[in-house]
Amino acid sequence: MSQKIRSSEITSEHVYLNRRQFMKTAGILSLGGVVAAACGTSPSAEEAVADVAVAEGDAGAAADAIVDELGRTANTFEEITNYNNYYEFTTDKEDVAQMAANYVTSPWQVEVSGHVNNPGVYGLEDLLTQFDQEERIYRLRCVEAWSMVIPWSGFPLRKLLEKADPTSKAKYVRFETVFDPDNMPGLSSPFYNWPYQEGLRIDEAMHDLTLMATGIYGKELLPQNGAPIRLVVPWKYGFKSIKSIVKIELTEEQPSTLWMTAAPNEYGFYANVNPNVDHPRWSQGSERPIGQFSRIPTLNFNGYEEEVAGLYTGMDLSVNF
Ligand code: MTE
């Protein structure tokens, strides 16, 4: 596919950060917060979008200076692309990168269907050109109690849904990953109800934090991270952030998901990060940031409480886990 993110010539986060330093100095860096404000979202949503601090001084120092709004430093490109969950390939996190390396993600299409006035099939190039690509630095908290900070690029899912124009019957959004048994050895596992499926309530899907990610560190997504396009819902456990999406369907009923079907007593539909509700087999009170020695406390809604708690007013989140 010819039309890709123009920064694909960038080869490392070093170069990426130096470019950001230049852009920031030149006043042309389009930070997520600025974009969100321009879109007229609530002040709280703006605050949630990660701030970016670029170190002053020599170019070397800038390499570790990308931080989120809580001051957490982003993981390296190396870490983000070599410790992955992608069960369609393998359940071994350290082997995913190698096993997915040759997975072909071009050409690619995403079908938007269901209760919408304007269904459609989008080529990846349409999604990259029709929607402004923004940068978002988000915390990712896996339900397995490890975490990372990842500088994504992409566009809010809301933009695509608005284009599809949901009808009044659209209450949920269902997502599906590509199903390609010839090239994804993990799909032979009988334990899971393939293809990988996920779902959100429509107000969650329309929230400004909900991102369709197409890149990391300004480069196109690699296969292990869900190339060419995946969901990122930063206040929910990582398994909600479904990779390599080919279908988005607006539904009236709550969709079932791969994990709810596999282990309903362990994985719920909402899956909001919640340190007060333990997984039946381990504590969710703390997490292990990849690349660090000590554990840190897990935050309610993964630190995005102010922005998203209002979506769940009146709900018992220990029942709707
Ligand atoms: N999407 C698909 N299709 N298959 C998967 O196995 N794993 C999920 C999520 N999306 C998964 C998926 C889990 S458990 C996590 S923690 C994140 O992807 C990991 O994303 P990363 O590998 O980019 O860090």
Side-chain angles (χ1 to χ4, degrees):
M1 231 167 259
S2 53
Q3 190 67 51
K4 293 282 165 77
I5 300 170
R6 273 179 41 234
S7 52
S8 56
E9 75 276 8
I10 295 168
T11 52
S12 72
E13 67 258 39
H14 231 84
V15 180
Y16 169 84
L17 288 160
N18 289 342
R19 180 166 161 273
R20 291 180 68 92
Q21 174 76 78
F22 162 74
M23 293 174 82
K24 195 178 187 202
T25 311
I28 53 176
L29 187 61
S30 167
L31 294 183
V34 176
V35 174
C39 295
T41 51
S42 67
S44 55
E46 286 154 31
E47 285 158 21
V49 176
D51 191 10
V52 177
V54 179
E56 302 296 332
D58 67 296
D64 55 3
I66 186 163
V67 295
D68 73 1
E69 81 285 3
L70 299 183
R72 296 187 189 169
T73 303
N75 285 86
T76 63
F77 187 75
E78 204 56 23
E79 287 165 340
I80 297 167
T81 56
N82 283 287
Y83 191 81
N84 302 101
N85 271 330
Y86 201 161
Y87 278 33
E88 286 86 337
F89 289 97
T90 170
T91 54
D92 188 333
K93 285 180 245 308
E94 288 169 21
D95 285 350
V96 176
Q98 187 232 323
M99 290 185 66
N102 297 321
Y103 192 65
V104 178
T105 59
S106 170
W108 194 270
Q109 291 186 324
V110 180
E111 182 191 346
V112 182
S113 64
H115 292 298
V116 292
N117 291 313
N118 189 21
V121 176
Y122 295 79
L124 182 70
E125 61 281 8
D126 305 324
L127 299 170
L128 290 175
T129 51
Q130 289 184 24
F131 304 104
D132 288 342
Q133 306 292 306
E134 304 173 16
E135 292 175 4
R136 303 279 182 101
I137 293 83
Y138 283 162
R139 296 175 288 286
L140 173 87
R141 170 52 160 88
C142 180
V143 76
E144 299 163 339
W146 54 266
S147 64
M148 292 204 200
V149 176
I150 303 182
W152 303 102
S153 41
F155 59 92
L157 172 62
R158 186 190 68 242
K159 301 253 175 92
L160 178 57
L161 295 180
E162 280 169 355
K163 192 149 191 185
D165 191 14
T167 70
S168 57
K169 283 193 165 171
K171 304 277 193 291
Y172 295 90
V173 186
R174 177 182 167 276
F175 306 85
E176 204 175 291
T177 294
V178 67
F179 180 75
D180 184 359
D182 289 345
N183 296 297
M184 294 175 145
L187 290 175
S188 60
S189 166
F191 297 116
Y192 301 102
N193 185 26
W194 308 107
Y196 198 102
Q197 298 170 50
E198 260 307 335
L200 294 174
R201 225 171 49 193
I202 190 141
D203 55 346
E204 298 176 318
M206 296 294 263
H207 195 282
D208 186 62
L209 289 175
T210 305
L211 193 71
M212 293 296 281
T214 54
I216 289 175
Y217 272 113
K219 301 202 266 192
E220 291 165 23
L221 285 183
L222 293 179
Q224 61 266 40
N225 293 110
I229 187 160
R230 68 171 299 170
L231 186 69
V232 182
V233 194
W235 71 93
K236 293 178 178 284
Y237 290 119
F239 67 83
K240 298 294 288 184
S241 292
I242 179 173
K243 297 180 170 182
S244 306
I245 294 171
V246 291
K247 257 191 196 173
I248 299 177
E249 188 189 357
L250 286 279
T251 65
E252 193 168 7
E253 306 298 328
Q254 178 178 296
S256 84
T257 73
L258 177 130
W259 286 108
M260 285 168 71
T261 312
N265 59 326
E266 300 193 351
Y267 307 105
F269 178 78
Y270 285 93
N272 294 315
V273 174
N274 190 341
N276 304 313
V277 175
D278 286 338
H279 188 280
R281 291 182 280 135
W282 60 83
S283 162
Q284 293 293 25
S286 69
E287 65 202 54
R288 179 174 63 92
I290 298 302
Q292 291 179 33
F293 292 112
S294 357
R295 297 181 76 85
I296 57 172
T298 286
L299 302 175
N300 220 4
F301 295 104
N302 202 22
Y304 301 96
E305 178 165 16
E306 207 178 304
E307 296 73 26
V308 300
L311 294 170
Y312 309 103
T313 309
M315 283 175 68
D316 181 345
L317 295 179
S318 59
V319 176
N320 295 287
F321 61 92

